Amino acid sequence: MQVAETKGIVLFSRDYQEKDKLVKIFTESYGKQMFFVKGAHRKNNPLAPALLNFTEAVYFGSIRSEGLSFLNGAKEVKPFRQIQQDIFLTAYGSYLLNLVDVAIEDHLYDPHLYSFTQQALMQLDNGSDPEIITNIFELQLLQRFGVAPQLDHCAVCGNQEGPFDYSSKYAGLLCQRHFEMDRYRWHVNPRGLHLARLLMQISYEQINSIQVKAETKQNLRHFIDQLYEEYVGIHLKSKKFIDDMQSWSKLLMPKADEKKEPNEE
């Protein structure tokens, strides 16, 4: 055990007995840690804001290499306020953090993934397209699951000219000359495939230059779902919620022709 200070992002928390909490925090310096927080439900507990979901802070406490760590305090608390307040952003943010939780083992030092997760949450909080942010996160996180699909050229001959299908057997593209090598290949929409190839390499700073049609988003969504089903095999409740959300989200969105109140800008 060592007393330490580190940046961290709250992954989730749950009550422990009546007054205490267990809070899982993805720390920059020590990986994922499950912290025991004594008296978390105590009235006016100064730690309370730092224990909320979608919060980043500098945490300090006793860090263990195994088992529970103990949280003593926090400073520089920065909530991702828009994610906390918007049900749609909460859904996407929850899915991203769930993916992080299953992608790496506890206590594993991974500052690159920490920075990648922090940037994704910042983009969501700042109003970037949540679907595209999620797609980038999913595609670039595949390597943490030991998956590296080849999307640049034919996996057999190296040909870079399409049309292509995707082969799970060869973990990459097949050009038309080699379609017969995998009778179970996936027929991937060319636009969705092109977008997947782009998002595999892009940084979050570049996404403002991307304009994506709804149909292309749907094609990409289907392709990513196939990749995760074939290679990763996880079924997260937060992902199912997002899928279900697509069917009822329009009911909650204001109508385009709805008149604004006089005092609105």
Side-chain angles (χ1 to χ4, degrees):
M1 183 189 297
Q2 57 180 312
V3 177
E5 180 178 298
T6 177
K7 279 187 177 180
I9 297 169
V10 175
L11 294 179
F12 66 85
S13 66
R14 63 173 180 262
D15 293 341
Y16 182 77
Q17 298 181 347
E18 293 185 8
K19 299 180 180 180
D20 309 324
K21 265 185 179 293
L22 294 175
V23 184
K24 196 163 197 178
I25 298 175
F26 184 22
T27 73
E28 184 178 38
S29 303
Y30 302 94
K32 296 184 302 173
Q33 297 281 336
M34 183 68 83
F35 287 93
F36 175 77
V37 186
K38 187 174 180 59
H41 293 293
R42 190 177 68 246
K43 188 176 181 180
N44 298 324
N45 187 331
L47 260 179
L51 304 180
L52 296 175
N53 291 339
F54 308 112
T55 298
E56 183 181 35
V58 175
Y59 298 93
F60 47 93
S62 301
I63 307 292
R64 293 179 180 267
S65 58
E66 295 182 359
L68 293 178
S69 296
F70 296 87
L71 192 61
N72 298 331
K75 61 183 180 181
E76 300 176 26
V77 179
K78 299 175 182 177
F80 296 99
R81 191 73 69 190
Q82 297 304 313
I83 300 178
Q84 290 176 342
Q85 296 176 351
D86 186 298
I87 186 173
F88 299 103
L89 296 182
T90 295
Y92 284 104
S94 296
Y95 176 49
L96 299 189
L97 295 184
N98 287 169
L99 281 175
V100 170
D101 197 24
V102 299
I104 60 170
E105 298 292 329
D106 290 352
H107 313 291
L108 183 64
Y109 175 66
D110 196 334
H112 176 75
L113 181 56
Y114 180 88
S115 176
F116 186 58
T117 304
Q118 179 195 51
Q119 291 174 43
L121 293 176
M122 288 178 62
Q123 291 289 339
L124 284 180
D125 206 54
N126 291 335
S128 296
D129 187 326
E131 292 177 273
I132 296 299
I133 294 298
T134 300
N135 295 154
I136 293 173
F137 200 85
E138 291 171 307
L139 287 166
Q140 297 190 21
L141 197 68
L142 281 171
Q143 60 180 311
R144 292 306 197 291
F145 296 104
V147 181
Q150 175 54 256
L151 302 181
D152 294 325
H153 52 74
C154 177
V156 176
C157 68
N159 176 33
Q160 296 182 347
E161 298 296 328
F164 294 109
D165 281 346
Y166 185 85
S167 169
S168 60
K169 178 180 177 180
Y170 292 94
L173 303 181
L174 290 181
C175 69
Q176 196 169 20
R177 294 198 300 268
H178 297 99
F179 280 173
E180 76 281 356
M181 297 183 70
D182 185 358
R183 60 184 295 190
Y184 300 108
R185 66 189 184 276
W186 308 345
H187 305 300
V188 185
N189 179 275
R191 291 183 178 179
L193 189 59
H194 173 74
L195 183 57
R197 185 186 301 119
L198 176 65
L199 298 187
M200 285 283 285
Q201 306 295 331
I202 201 171
S203 67
Y204 285 122
E205 289 77 12
Q206 298 172 285
I207 64 170
N208 290 331
S209 61
I210 297 179
Q211 301 293 327
V212 183
K213 294 181 179 179
E215 183 180 358
T216 304
K217 285 184 178 182
Q218 292 175 0
N219 293 326
L220 176 61
R221 176 73 270 156
H222 181 64
F223 179 52
I224 295 175
D225 285 347
Q226 285 182 295
L227 289 174
Y228 268 78
E229 184 65 31
E230 178 72 19
Y231 296 117
V232 183
I234 58 174
H235 301 92
L236 301 173
K237 291 181 179 179
S238 52
K239 173 59 167 60
K240 185 179 185 303
F241 183 84
I242 290 175
D243 293 341
D244 293 341
M245 185 175 67
Q246 302 301 323
S247 64
W248 52 259
S249 60
K250 292 182 180 180
L251 299 176
L252 299 180
M253 300 297 288
K255 295 181 180 179
D257 59 350
E258 195 174 69
K259 293 183 179 181
K260 293 184 177 181
E261 295 296 326
N263 60 345
E264 289 188 77
E265 296 182 359

